[in-house]
Amino acid sequence: MNMNERVIRTTIEVDAPVSTLWKILTDNEFIKQYMFGCYAQTDWKAGSPLLWKGVADSKLYVKGHVVSIEPPHRLVYTVIDPNSTIADIPSNYLTMTYDLKERNGHTSVLEITQGDFAAVEDGENRYKDSLGGGDSILGSIKKLAEATFQSV
């Protein structure tokens, strides 16, 4: 690991199995409930485009590509804000990694890693902007997964 690497790593325990958590992360019925009113336009295959669009306005808010996908344990994709002044080149995309681990039959651990902010244009500001945002998303994912699992 690079000593100058700048990543945000957050972990949360969820009272639902990995399969439920995976559905929350990849099913638009749920995505729009925690991703600021956006849905994911993608086929969830490695190398495919991943476009986060507003449910209400169809505006493109975030774009990237699926890097790798191993259901229901790992999802890696890149992101960039196409509405910012940052150059839309591969080196400016951040990588989002979702690791899901089953703790026992009904508890999962979700770890989200975002970065590397040290390697992208305007990385320090992007790092500061992202610091607070992930927690509310994580909390919503946890609530949705637990509510969905309880209602099954």
Side-chain angles (χ1 to χ4, degrees):
M1 183 189 263
N2 177 349
M3 291 306 287
N4 299 327
E5 192 178 56
R6 199 88 154 111
V7 297
I8 297 172
R9 186 171 281 114
T10 36
T11 305
I12 194 166
E13 195 168 286
V14 180
D15 210 5
V18 165
S19 56
T20 301
L21 200 47
W22 185 261
K23 189 173 171 61
I24 303 298
L25 293 174
T26 57
D27 185 328
N28 276 318
E29 179 192 339
F30 299 106
I31 292 170
K32 64 187 178 199
Q33 295 181 58
Y34 64 82
M35 199 55 84
F36 310 108
C38 288
Y39 67 95
Q41 184 179 316
T42 185
D43 62 8
W44 295 117
K45 290 186 171 79
S48 291
L50 175 55
L51 306 174
W52 301 97
K53 292 185 170 180
V55 173
D57 58 10
S58 296
K59 180 179 169 186
L60 179 62
Y61 286 94
V62 176
K63 66 183 245 188
H65 283 86
V66 177
V67 175
S68 69
I69 183 163
E70 299 159 35
H73 297 287
R74 188 174 172 90
L75 172 62
V76 182
Y77 60 84
T78 59
V79 292
I80 195 167
D81 177 355
N83 306 299
S84 74
T85 56
I86 295 161
D88 187 350
I89 54 175
S91 61
N92 281 332
Y93 282 68
L94 292 165
T95 301
M96 300 289 299
T97 304
Y98 293 75
D99 280 307
L100 295 74
K101 294 178 183 74
E102 194 119 336
R103 179 140 298 159
N104 53 42
H106 54 82
T107 308
S108 307
V109 177
L110 171 62
E111 181 182 78
I112 301 177
T113 310
Q114 188 178 359
D116 173 7
F117 291 91
V120 296
E121 182 184 330
D122 200 21
E124 195 54 33
N125 284 328
R126 290 166 75 184
Y127 175 79
K128 287 178 184 149
D129 287 347
S130 297
L131 266 178
D135 293 344
S136 65
I137 291 176
L138 261 181
S140 299
I141 290 171
K142 175 180 166 73
K143 275 196 201 105
L144 273 169
E146 291 175 352
T148 302
F149 180 57
Q150 305 307 328
S151 67
V152 172

